[in-house]
Amino acid sequence: MTDIPLASRGTIPADPPLRELGIIVIDHGSRREESNDQLLEYVELLKQHAGYMIVEPAHMEIASPNMVMAMDQCVRQGARYVVIHPWFLGPGRHWREHIPLLAAEAARAYPQLAYVITEPLGLHPGLVKATCDRITDALQQTTAATGNHAGTEN
C-alpha cells in the first residue's frame, strides 16, 4: 500500500449491494487490438471469479471504451457506487493525476454517484505468485521446445 490517499468522491459503504456496485478496470489503451482485447478478457475473468455484477473496461486513451463510456454503462446497469481499478503495476502519474481527472469528468453527469480509485497492482502478494507462475511456464515451454531438462544444457 502507498501512503497517498485514494482519490474518491462521496461515501461508499464497506459492503454495498452488488447490484449497486460498479467496477471499472482502466488501462492505458493501445493501438494494438491484442492489448485492448486482453483488458476485455480480464474484465470477464473478474466478473466470473469475483461475482461482481457490473464490471466495465475503460482505456485512458487511443481505444474505446473510455472512462465516460464505462461510467455511463455502470450507471445504466444500476450502479450507485463505482470502484475504479487502474490496471497498472506502479503508482505513477496516470494513477496520481490522469485517472482522477478522467473519473471526475466522467462522474460530473452523475452528482449522486460515489466513487473511489484503488491503488494500482503494485507490490500485492498475488503478483509474486503470478510472476512465479509465469517463470515456471516459461521454463516448461523452453524445456518442452528444446527437449532439455531445466538447468541442463546440450
Side-chain angles (χ1 to χ4, degrees):
M1 292 183 74
T2 68
D3 293 332
I4 299 170
L6 300 178
S8 64
R9 180 181 85 180
T11 303
I12 300 177
D15 192 18
L18 288 181
R19 70 184 179 283
E20 296 179 358
L21 177 64
I23 309 294
I24 296 174
V25 182
I26 186 167
D27 70 0
H28 186 274
S30 175
R31 288 180 180 84
R32 294 187 63 213
E33 191 171 330
E34 176 184 1
S35 295
N36 296 326
D37 287 347
Q38 192 171 54
L39 178 65
L40 300 178
E41 291 173 31
Y42 182 78
V43 163
E44 285 306 311
L45 286 171
L46 185 60
K47 258 190 217 180
Q48 293 169 12
H49 292 284
Y52 297 118
M53 300 168 66
I54 305 169
V55 184
E56 294 295 327
H59 305 287
M60 289 181 57
E61 58 186 21
I62 303 170
S64 334
N66 61 28
M67 178 73 84
V68 171
M69 298 164 131
M71 191 80 71
D72 289 346
Q73 281 296 103
C74 286
V75 171
R76 280 190 200 113
Q77 294 174 71
R80 294 179 52 210
Y81 314 104
V82 175
V83 176
I84 301 164
H85 177 65
W87 206 34
F88 293 99
L89 291 177
R93 281 186 73 193
H94 286 325
W95 175 68
R96 286 187 177 101
E97 299 172 24
H98 304 141
I99 293 172
L101 289 173
L102 292 170
E105 177 186 324
R108 193 171 297 132
Y110 307 105
Q112 78 288 0
L113 188 73
Y115 68 82
V116 64
I117 301 170
T118 73
E119 290 189 36
L121 296 168
L123 298 175
H124 192 283
L127 282 177
V128 174
K129 180 181 181 335
T131 300
C132 291
D133 289 350
R134 292 289 192 225
I135 292 167
T136 300
D137 292 347
L139 291 172
Q140 289 173 349
Q141 288 178 22
T142 301
T143 300
T146 63
N148 290 343
H149 297 288
T152 65
E153 295 181 19
N154 283 338

